[in-house]
Amino acid sequence: MVRVRLKKTGTRNCICFRIVVTDIRTARDGRVIENLGMYDPRLKTEKIDLERYEHWISQGASPSETVMDIVERAKTGKKLADRPRKAKPSKKVLAK
């Protein structure tokens, strides 16, 4: 079975991801069939070849949840920075 998912690249404190088509049995950073784009969470940049993505989906590939979100943003034209942020939980101060 073929899957469209993220492949981790970059260094320890500067992580970047590639959007790849790979066999579901291979390791996360293992051999890929095709590179479709990239995703950089630090710089908030995303690039994906939608034509090739649609080709692989029509062939039966299943995308991961993160890749589906990236494709949805690419189709609507929204940027990663435009999405609403989740509120952080407040820190409770313990009384002694």
Side-chain angles (χ1 to χ4, degrees):
M1 182 166 190
V2 179
R3 187 156 178 101
V4 181
R5 63 183 181 193
L6 297 176
K7 178 180 181 178
K8 190 175 174 183
T9 60
T11 60
R12 183 173 29 165
N13 292 323
C14 187
I15 297 173
C16 187
F17 297 94
R18 288 186 185 166
I19 303 167
V20 297
V21 178
T22 185
D23 190 303
I24 201 164
R25 296 170 292 189
T26 60
R28 179 194 67 200
D29 299 336
R31 189 177 68 86
V32 300
I33 299 171
E34 184 177 357
N35 286 321
L36 298 180
M38 58 83 62
Y39 165 60
D40 189 350
R42 292 187 61 190
L43 299 177
K44 296 183 172 62
T45 58
E46 303 168 331
K47 294 179 185 177
I48 186 166
D49 186 356
L50 291 174
E51 183 178 315
R52 292 302 296 167
Y53 172 80
E54 294 298 333
H55 167 76
W56 282 106
I57 296 300
S58 69
Q59 296 297 318
S62 60
S64 68
E65 289 182 23
T66 308
V67 171
M68 284 192 292
D69 291 341
I70 292 169
V71 169
E72 182 181 319
R73 285 192 297 268
K75 287 182 178 179
T76 60
K78 290 186 178 180
K79 293 183 180 178
L80 184 62
D82 294 343
R83 67 186 170 138
R85 297 195 176 239
K86 294 180 182 176
K88 292 184 180 179
S90 62
K91 294 181 180 178
K92 294 182 180 179
V93 179
L94 299 174
K96 290 186 178 182

